Amino acid sequence: MTSYDGRNRSGRLFNFDEEQAYTFDLVAGTPRASLIAIADAARAYALRQQGQFDSETEVVCAFTSIDAPDGRKKRLKIFAAGKDFEDIDVNEVLRLQRAAGQFSVAPSRRLVEKLQDDSEDDLLE
């Protein structure tokens, strides 16, 4: 998270998977826990030692994107955010997606890997 404006619930974030910065908006009804995670990450980014990475600036987001005609992501619409994947309530995300008229969100590579790792842990031997 690189910035957040609480007045209009928008900001900028850096997507590690794509090595690209994006502007974002929070959808109406975004859970308060998501707002706290985003504000905490933006605060950590503002207070970091210049040139140093601070893991407190990281958040995991469930989002969809508004894309340009050439396929580039122009702006993200965030449904939920947290410090870790377990902090995101999937049922709440689905409810917000339906309310916003969005019915599918492509999961990030990291989320897919996390889900695969979790499913392997659940296998009985």
Side-chain angles (χ1 to χ4, degrees):
M1 187 64 52
T2 59
S3 70
Y4 176 66
D5 181 347
R7 290 174 295 152
N8 59 14
R9 295 187 173 203
S10 65
R12 282 188 67 76
L13 60 79
F14 184 81
N15 185 322
F16 286 105
D17 291 342
E18 299 173 10
E19 297 183 358
Q20 178 70 39
Y22 297 103
T23 57
F24 71 85
D25 297 310
L26 299 179
V27 299
T30 300
R32 184 166 179 79
S34 295
L35 297 173
I36 292 169
I38 288 169
D40 287 350
R43 180 181 184 277
Y45 183 80
L47 297 174
R48 78 195 185 291
Q49 292 286 333
Q50 192 166 354
Q52 299 292 318
F53 175 76
D54 182 350
S55 64
E56 293 299 310
T57 64
E58 291 186 290
V59 290
V60 176
C61 298
F63 64 87
T64 191
S65 66
I66 298 173
D67 298 342
D70 63 3
R72 291 177 296 120
K73 290 183 179 120
K74 297 292 286 179
R75 190 169 199 87
L76 305 181
K77 298 291 185 179
I78 295 179
F79 296 101
K83 292 304 290 175
D84 206 340
F85 294 104
E86 290 81 21
D87 296 337
I88 297 177
D89 180 352
V90 174
N91 291 322
E92 182 68 13
V93 170
L94 294 173
R95 184 188 69 73
L96 290 169
Q97 284 178 317
R98 283 191 285 281
Q102 303 291 331
F103 298 102
S104 66
V105 173
S108 71
R109 178 179 48 82
R110 286 185 180 182
L111 180 57
V112 170
E113 290 170 358
K114 169 77 171 107
L115 294 173
Q116 289 171 342
D117 289 346
D118 284 351
S119 66
E120 290 171 6
D121 292 342
D122 294 338
L123 293 177
L124 297 175
E125 295 187 63

